[in-house]
Amino acid sequence: MMTRFMAECPPEIDYRLLVLSTEDTTEIPLSATIREKIQYLGSSSSPLTYMRATFSVIAHRGAIIVSSTWKAAFVVWLAKRFSTIDRHVAFTHRSSVAHRLDLVMRTWQVRHSLINIADSQSSAVWVSHATGRSDAIVIDPIFTPSTLRSTRPHDLSICFIGRLAQVKNLETVCRLVDKLVARRLSFAFHIYGPDAGCKHQVNQWVDKHHHDRTNRGLDIAYLGPIPPQDVHEVAARYHFILSCSHTEGFAMSIAEAMQVGTVPIVGKIGGPSNYCRPDNAIMLDDYSDSSLDMVAKQVMKVWNAPSRYRSMSEAAKCTFVANQFFPNRFVTLLKQFATMPLQSR
């Protein structure tokens, strides 16, 4: 999300991104302009990386420091042991907790930042529970949609866009696609995203369907990662986008797909539970086998009624029309923050 912000950031804002990893691990193509603003500090498993990051934060202590993950919070915590960091913003982008250290550092972060920003109502609720306050500012991470015309094929096409990670529940994604295959549908299902531990599992499942290409008229493939700024363009090629995540923050790929009229098939979790409705999405009550069967039937029913699909697609496209785009709202907030009296919590 921060790389998307940097791509659309107004020129008067001097923004730098400190990354606790090596450049080789991103798997996401980034423009040369964005790369100039990113400082890769090394492997997040190395203590030296955290030392470099701490010194970098201290060197920029007069600037606004924005942290999000528990690792970034840990760096700010270290920096505050050695220097005064007054303008600290905590950006919460999910309501789930991965492990004990994640809970401890993100709780410290939201309790000791000058202001809290959340990417969704579910994230804001988490901040409220952690701080005992209801002062988190919610900014939906909505970016400028593509102006390209839809390039959807005539035949049914479905996509998944996101990290290939356990939290994305790709096993259930594959089970739902298998339910559609069992109904003798001819369709394309394409997976996009960087590997986060589940690429081997995805490739095995794709290989299982290799013979279906010619025998059943199916096109099931993993097509690799895409640049974040290309999500609108890629999603516009598909009729549906599929997500069965265990937890979600705002779910940017789902929202951006909706901006170009792609209808989501999603679980009732995180951000999608707030902005997806029966008129603009197909919702999974849970990830049980019976729920997947029901949704597979619903996909067929919607697809076989063109007027209903068009209505859902238009409703999806209108979901975020009234929203101010994230870069403008975020920059406005940071400018206001820069003029606030310095203090530390």
Side-chain angles (χ1 to χ4, degrees), residues 58-332:
I58 292 173
H60 293 87
R61 60 185 177 273
I64 296 173
I65 306 296
V66 182
S67 63
S68 181
T69 66
W70 74 264
K71 295 177 181 179
F74 178 61
V75 169
V76 176
W77 180 85
L78 286 174
K80 286 189 175 185
R81 307 282 72 80
F82 300 101
S83 183
T84 301
I85 308 296
D86 295 299
R87 294 189 174 101
H88 175 211
V89 176
F91 194 107
T92 300
H93 68 281
R94 59 188 173 91
S95 57
S96 62
V97 175
H99 45 70
R100 178 68 177 173
L101 193 53
D102 182 35
L103 173 63
V104 170
M105 293 314 307
R106 286 175 56 216
T107 298
W108 173 87
Q109 172 175 258
V110 296
R111 287 180 178 176
H112 292 86
S113 62
L114 191 54
I115 61 171
N116 279 298
I117 300 175
D119 74 341
S120 63
Q121 289 295 337
S122 59
S123 296
V125 169
W126 186 90
V127 173
S128 178
H129 288 163
T131 62
R133 306 186 306 270
S134 299
D135 57 357
I137 302 168
V138 178
I139 304 181
D140 293 341
I142 298 295
F143 291 84
T144 308
S146 171
T147 57
L148 297 175
R149 293 176 59 85
S150 170
T151 56
R152 294 183 182 90
H154 177 73
D155 295 329
L156 176 62
S157 57
I158 307 171
C159 67
F160 168 90
I161 302 176
R163 293 178 298 120
L164 308 190
Q166 288 288 342
V167 72
K168 297 300 182 181
N169 195 14
L170 287 155
E171 179 183 357
T172 299
V173 169
C174 296
R175 283 171 54 214
L176 179 51
V177 174
D178 284 337
K179 297 284 187 184
L180 294 171
V181 172
R183 293 181 176 279
R184 316 300 295 183
L185 276 175
S186 295
F187 65 96
F189 177 63
H190 295 157
I191 299 171
Y192 298 88
D195 183 25
C198 294
K199 183 178 177 180
H200 179 68
Q201 170 193 342
V202 168
N203 282 332
Q204 281 187 323
W205 179 78
V206 169
D207 290 343
K208 184 184 77 170
H209 287 285
H210 182 71
H211 70 284
D212 291 332
R213 287 176 177 272
T214 53
N215 298 339
R216 304 273 297 279
L218 297 175
D219 177 12
I220 296 177
Y222 168 57
L223 301 181
I226 58 174
Q229 63 270 21
D230 288 354
V231 171
H232 286 120
E233 181 179 351
V234 171
R237 304 171 192 164
Y238 298 88
H239 300 96
F240 296 94
I241 183 169
L242 179 55
S243 174
C244 299
S245 297
H246 290 302
T247 64
E248 277 289 5
F250 183 72
M252 284 178 59
S253 62
I254 299 300
E256 293 185 341
M258 294 175 77
Q259 283 182 287
V260 293
T262 304
V263 176
I265 305 169
V266 292
K268 294 181 179 179
I269 44 89
S273 67
N274 294 317
Y275 56 73
C276 289
R277 308 176 303 273
D279 68 312
N280 65 8
I282 295 176
M283 307 288 290
L284 286 141
D285 289 328
D286 53 49
Y287 299 143
S288 65
D289 205 55
S290 59
S291 183
L292 297 184
D293 273 325
M294 188 178 302
V295 165
K297 290 179 185 177
Q298 193 173 356
V299 170
M300 289 189 66
K301 189 174 181 180
V302 170
W303 179 243
N304 289 325
S307 61
R308 184 176 178 185
Y309 175 80
R310 286 194 297 271
S311 175
M312 293 183 73
S313 176
E314 284 302 313
K317 194 181 297 184
C318 292
T319 303
F320 301 104
V321 167
N323 288 59
Q324 186 181 4
F325 296 132
F326 176 82
N328 293 332
R329 288 198 64 195
F330 193 41
V331 166
T332 299

